[in-house]
């Protein structure tokens, strides 16, 4: 039986993870569930999954949780704050940590899990984009096991030989005859919107993804294709490849979740319903398989597969991300921080949809970060980028 800590349990990935746990009760038990602001939902999850610990965002929220826990006569420890997240991510007895906090807020707990040699199921792509090689190096140093939950990276991982998958961070995919990785993306809800209408798109429209049901931040990133940009960087780190090794392809149906080309002309793809329970279940059971409760994909009912190349005018954020990776780790930290700030402002109705990329570019232009040699440097660069974003917006 694997014991899990689910970081970000109250979010979209967290909820899907718990659905997979519920479908496989004999294989998983829960040590800790963490949320941030949704205390009621977290306590409801605790009633059902009986963790030993729950973590919320602040002392006040912990008080609120205490009242609810007492009403349910539940025996669970209640903690709050960043250190508590690190503690439950590294606690003795925990086998697997599901990293599903959104944004840079999840980075420290991801690192704590790596340093405690856990099996890390990584959904929190911003943590990897922000800390890059430093995070990968910690995973290797402490012999942790990092498995990609993000559907594209999970698809790439599944399309590579098992021999490569075992200890993949130390191997070269070129040694396995791979010639390129094809990262697919739906193109988001504005794929066919007239360019001149993009500035008027609302948060609600941006969050209405045609295929996937996700949290707000990643939904906006999908609409601007910053999500694909972050995934491009994520793929470079996870599979140890240079930007030239990755092709980005729009595939509006979101059935092929990514592909791998081999030197003999073969292209291997992983396909299925656009439902995160599949990659989550895959990482939970790897190298075995378990049920995920996802319906089998019906090829006869599907409308066909189409593909197109992304266009820079529509998706400037994708190109900013590629360029940031070429410039180095520090620049991807800056871009991630700037993007988080600008998406937040867009969701609050303070800037236009097209301002996100425009302002991200402005921060990249104005800030020349120092070299990041350790976590402290990274946190400092992240802070500088956010302060500059605030300053320029105010
Ligand atoms: P959600 O917004 O749905 O959930 C985010 C979770 O993080 C919630 O549990 C939230 O708590 C918690 N959280 C928010 N802010 C903080 C904070 N400052 N400190 C601690 N916890 C916090 O996001 P998703 O589930 O959609 O995404 C989670 C991660 O997975 C993201 O990095 C995303 O890019 C990645 N991902 C998501 C996919 C998806 O389909 N959703 C697909 C692939 C990757 P609360 O709600 O209680 O405030
Ligand atoms: Mg993805």
């Amino acid at each position: 039986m694997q014991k899990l800590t689910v970081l970000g349990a109250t979010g979209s990935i967290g909820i899907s993870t718990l659905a997979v746990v519920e479908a496989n009760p004999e294989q998983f038990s829960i040590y800790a569930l963490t949320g941030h602001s949704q205390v009621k939902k977290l306590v409801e999850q605790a009633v059902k999954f009986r963790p030993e610990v729950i973590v919320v965002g602040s002392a006040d929220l912990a008080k609120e949780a205490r009242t609810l826990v007492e009403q349910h006569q539940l025996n669970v420890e209640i903690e709050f704050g960043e250190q508590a997240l690190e503690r439950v991510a590294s606690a003795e007895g925990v086998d697997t940590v599901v990293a599903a906090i959104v944004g840079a807020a999840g980075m420290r707990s991801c690192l704590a899990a790596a340093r405690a040699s856990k099996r890390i199921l990584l959904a929190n792509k911003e943590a990897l984009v922000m800390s890059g090689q430093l995070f990968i190096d910690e995973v290797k140093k402490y012999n942790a096991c990092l498995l990609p939950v993000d559907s594209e990276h999970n698809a790439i991982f599944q399309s590579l030989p098992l021999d490569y998958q075992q200890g993949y961070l130390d191997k070269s995919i070129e040694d396995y005859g791979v010639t390129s990785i094809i990262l697919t993306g739906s193109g988001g809800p504005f794929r066919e919107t007239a360019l001149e209408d993009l500035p008027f798109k609302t948060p609600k429209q941006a969050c209405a993804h045609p295929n996937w049901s996700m949290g707000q931040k990643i939904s906006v990133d999908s609409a601007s294709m910053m999500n694909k940009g972050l995934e491009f960087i994520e793929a470079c780190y996870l599979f140890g490849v240079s930007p030239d090794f990755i092709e980005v392809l729009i595939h509006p149906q979101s059935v092929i979740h990514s592909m791998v080309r081999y030197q003999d002309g073969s292209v291997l793809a992983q396909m299925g319903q656009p439902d995160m329970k599949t990659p989550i279940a895959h990482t939970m059971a790897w190298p075995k398989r378990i049920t995920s409760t996802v319906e089998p994909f019906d090829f006869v009912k599907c409308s066909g597969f189409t593909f197109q190349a992304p266009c820079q005018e529509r998706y400037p954020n994708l190109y900013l991300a590629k360029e940031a990776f070429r410039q180095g780790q520090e620049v991807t930290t800056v871009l991630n921080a700037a993007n988080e700030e600008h998406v937040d402002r867009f969701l609050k109705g303070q800037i236009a949809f097209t301002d996100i990329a425009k302002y991200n570019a402005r921060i990249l232009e104005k800030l020349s970060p120092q070299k990041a040699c350790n976590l402290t440097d990274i946190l400092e660069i992240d802070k500088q980028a956010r302060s500059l974003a605030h300053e320029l917006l105010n």
Side-chain angles (χ1 to χ4, degrees):
M1 169 143 334
Q2 270 186 66
K3 202 171 234 191
L4 307 185
T5 280
V6 185
L7 303 169
T10 49
S12 163
I13 294 286
I15 291 168
S16 293
T17 303
L18 292 178
V20 178
V21 169
E22 194 178 5
N24 298 275
E26 68 298 337
Q27 299 197 45
F28 303 99
S29 68
I30 307 282
Y31 169 71
L33 295 176
T34 86
H36 191 61
S37 58
Q38 300 192 74
V39 175
K40 193 164 170 263
K41 194 190 260 183
L42 185 66
V43 173
E44 279 164 12
Q45 291 178 332
V47 170
K48 192 160 177 187
F49 292 95
R50 302 281 157 169
E52 292 171 39
V53 188
I54 56 173
V55 181
V56 294
S58 68
D60 283 348
L61 292 170
K63 226 182 261 169
E64 217 178 285
R66 167 72 45 218
T67 310
L68 291 169
V69 159
E70 280 166 7
Q71 280 169 10
H72 286 99
Q73 299 180 330
L74 199 65
N75 182 16
V76 63
E77 257 179 67
I78 303 167
E79 299 186 22
F80 65 89
E82 180 121 52
Q83 281 181 2
L85 294 176
E86 290 182 49
R87 202 193 64 68
V88 297
S90 56
E92 214 181 290
V94 169
D95 305 293
T96 300
V97 175
V98 181
I101 288 175
V102 60
M107 193 189 71
R108 282 172 185 271
S109 46
C110 278
L111 274 169
R115 290 174 180 151
S117 314
K118 303 298 185 197
R119 177 175 169 124
I120 306 166
L121 314 189
L122 183 74
N124 183 195
K125 67 191 89 189
E126 296 91 348
L128 178 57
V129 168
M130 184 184 172
S131 58
Q133 197 54 44
L134 281 166
F135 177 59
I136 300 287
D137 289 346
E138 293 296 272
V139 168
K140 288 203 229 175
K141 181 171 166 193
Y142 292 94
N143 211 11
C145 170
L146 182 65
L147 294 168
V149 169
D150 208 351
S151 59
E152 296 74 8
H153 307 77
N154 183 269
I156 294 161
F157 189 82
Q158 291 202 47
S159 304
L160 290 160
L162 181 63
D163 184 61
Y164 170 82
Q165 293 176 8
Q166 286 160 336
Y168 73 105
L169 295 175
D170 290 315
K171 296 175 179 171
S172 155
I173 59 176
E174 284 170 82
D175 292 344
Y176 291 83
V178 175
T179 53
S180 76
I181 283 171
I182 306 172
L183 204 55
T184 55
S186 69
F190 305 148
R191 187 174 51 88
E192 289 183 321
T193 302
L195 290 179
E196 60 271 22
D197 293 340
L198 285 180
F200 309 105
K201 290 295 169 188
T202 63
K204 196 171 165 211
Q205 290 169 319
C207 288
H209 196 281
N211 309 329
W212 298 93
S213 151
M214 310 181 283
Q216 285 195 316
K217 195 264 177 182
I218 184 173
S219 297
V220 175
D221 282 348
S222 297
S224 74
M225 267 185 108
M226 174 52 97
N227 184 47
K228 214 47 56 189
L230 298 176
E231 289 177 355
F232 182 92
I233 297 168
E234 187 184 5
C236 290
Y237 288 126
L238 284 175
F239 302 109
V241 296
S242 63
D244 303 337
F245 212 81
I246 303 177
E247 304 168 46
V248 178
L249 188 64
I250 293 182
H251 163 48
Q253 296 79 20
S254 300
V255 174
I256 297 176
H257 299 136
S258 276
M259 302 182 261
V260 173
R261 281 189 205 275
Y262 287 85
Q263 61 189 2
D264 60 5
S266 303
V267 180
L268 297 198
Q270 185 266 355
M271 292 180 241
Q273 302 277 13
D275 187 323
M276 288 306 294
K277 289 197 286 297
T278 295
I280 290 168
H282 169 263
T283 55
M284 283 169 76
W286 180 85
K288 297 192 175 140
R289 298 272 177 176
I290 50 173
T291 178
S292 68
T293 74
V294 174
E295 289 290 311
F297 182 72
D298 186 335
F299 284 91
V300 177
K301 278 196 190 144
C302 99
S303 57
F305 293 172
T306 57
F307 304 95
Q308 70 193 71
C311 122
Q312 186 155 1
E313 235 185 322
R314 184 176 298 280
Y315 302 115
N317 265 334
L318 169 64
Y319 295 84
L320 285 181
K322 287 183 173 185
E323 184 48 33
F325 183 82
R326 283 199 180 86
Q327 288 181 29
Q329 158 80 76
E330 302 72 35
V331 186
T332 63
T333 308
V334 170
L335 178 62
N336 180 63
N339 185 60
E340 281 190 31
E341 293 299 322
H342 296 140
V343 169
D344 185 53
R345 295 287 183 122
F346 167 68
L347 284 168
K348 288 178 176 149
Q350 295 171 358
I351 63 171
F353 177 71
T354 39
D355 287 339
I356 300 172
K358 200 158 83 193
Y359 294 163
N360 285 346
R362 185 168 71 171
I363 301 284
L364 289 180
E365 239 169 66
K366 287 189 186 289
L367 194 72
S368 322
Q370 70 273 25
K371 192 150 182 54
C373 300
N374 52 41
L375 179 62
T376 315
D377 296 345
I378 284 178
L379 292 170
E380 178 54 32
I381 294 168
D382 176 80
K383 203 166 101 191
Q384 283 169 6
R386 287 173 201 269
S387 333
L388 183 60
H390 282 278
E391 201 183 295
L392 294 174
L393 286 166
N394 296 334

